[in-house]
Amino acid sequence: GHDDVDEERAAGAGALLRWHHPVLGDISPGQFIPVAERSGLMIVLGDWVMEQVARQLVAWRDAGLQEVRVAINLSGRQFWDKALVDKVRDCFRRHALAPGQLGFEITESLLLDHQQPAIAIIQALREMGCRVALDDFGTGYSSLGYLHELPVTTIKIDKRFIQGLGNRRSNAIVAAVTGLARELDMRVVAEGVETDQQLQALARYPIDLVQGFLFGTPLLA
């Protein structure tokens, strides 16, 4: 879940994919996502995830929960799938979702050398009201050029910097990224918040949302 810092409430959720294998037990996404990418199954898997999330949003709406927001991670293959924007538009239409109910998270590595074509894709998603977050910011190839060019709405500061707060270098990076995001009118999410000390350390910085095990571990719908 993502928690709103000021209002202390759940501001949305991220859809997590988990594989519970009858023989091999729990297989982590770190293992099966790269295999899905290499085998060409990632697009089918990604389409299935988007459909499941949309159905869950409809079920929550029918149960009286309005305007729940869920973010979906997009892998490279999904993001560069020429049909992505049409699929998202179709999903909104078929399930009568409110603008922005689905959001997306992408990583910097996915954009490597393809910044210009990415702009059009992100812009098209934004026009449907989707929030688009740059995930794990600071760990990949963090280029200020991405922030200058890409119409992303949100930066997610990687947990290694959040968990390193108190260390001069981590403090400096969090201060720089949050200051930059504020000037660019982007929202900032602190990832991987696990202790009250980390939450208190974050109070010095202009952060909009916090996410991590301090607020809840992965849950079923």
Side-chain angles (χ1 to χ4, degrees), residues 17-215:
L17 199 55
R18 294 291 182 264
W19 186 1
H20 307 293
H21 192 283
V23 179
L24 301 174
D26 291 347
I27 302 172
S28 92
Q31 284 179 282
F32 69 75
I33 294 288
V35 175
E37 287 266 270
R38 288 196 300 273
S39 65
L41 285 173
M42 196 61 230
I43 293 201
V44 179
L45 193 56
D47 290 350
W48 179 83
V49 168
M50 187 154 65
E51 187 63 20
Q52 294 301 112
V53 168
R55 288 180 177 183
Q56 185 59 61
L57 287 168
V58 170
W60 279 331
R61 182 175 70 208
D62 292 346
L65 286 170
Q66 293 298 322
E67 305 295 313
V68 180
R69 290 175 180 266
V70 176
I72 298 172
N73 292 308
L74 291 178
S75 74
R77 274 186 187 264
Q78 291 171 274
F79 184 78
W80 296 115
D81 172 14
K82 290 189 167 39
L84 172 69
V85 172
D86 287 336
K87 285 176 182 174
V88 175
R89 192 173 285 122
D90 181 57
C91 186
F92 270 95
R93 186 180 51 75
R94 281 185 297 108
H95 297 285
L97 300 178
Q101 272 201 283
L102 279 181
F104 298 95
E105 298 187 1
I106 58 176
T107 58
E108 298 160 290
S109 54
L110 170 160
L111 302 167
L112 217 53
D113 302 327
H114 300 291
Q115 201 166 316
Q116 287 312 119
I119 292 171
I121 298 170
I122 296 172
Q123 197 62 53
L125 294 173
R126 288 281 311 271
E127 282 164 13
M128 283 180 261
C130 302
R131 284 182 174 153
V132 180
L134 209 47
D135 200 9
D136 302 335
F137 189 77
T139 60
Y141 303 89
S142 301
S143 159
L144 296 184
Y146 291 150
L147 298 187
H148 184 253
E149 298 279 340
L150 295 176
V152 294
T153 57
T154 308
I155 300 174
K156 300 185 73 176
I157 302 178
D158 189 76
K159 65 183 179 187
R160 80 168 71 168
F161 305 119
I162 303 307
Q163 292 171 1
L165 282 170
N167 163 305
R168 222 174 114 232
R169 291 186 168 212
S170 289
N171 291 357
I173 289 168
V174 172
V177 173
T178 52
L180 192 60
R182 170 149 282 191
E183 292 297 323
L184 294 170
D185 293 325
M186 291 177 181
R187 301 188 326 149
V188 182
V189 179
E191 296 184 287
V193 181
E194 295 181 1
T195 67
D196 282 320
Q197 285 89 337
Q198 288 164 1
L199 187 61
Q200 284 158 13
L202 283 169
R204 298 170 48 191
Y205 307 102
I207 288 192
D208 301 288
L209 299 169
V210 281
Q211 173 182 350
F213 284 2
L214 182 61
F215 312 99

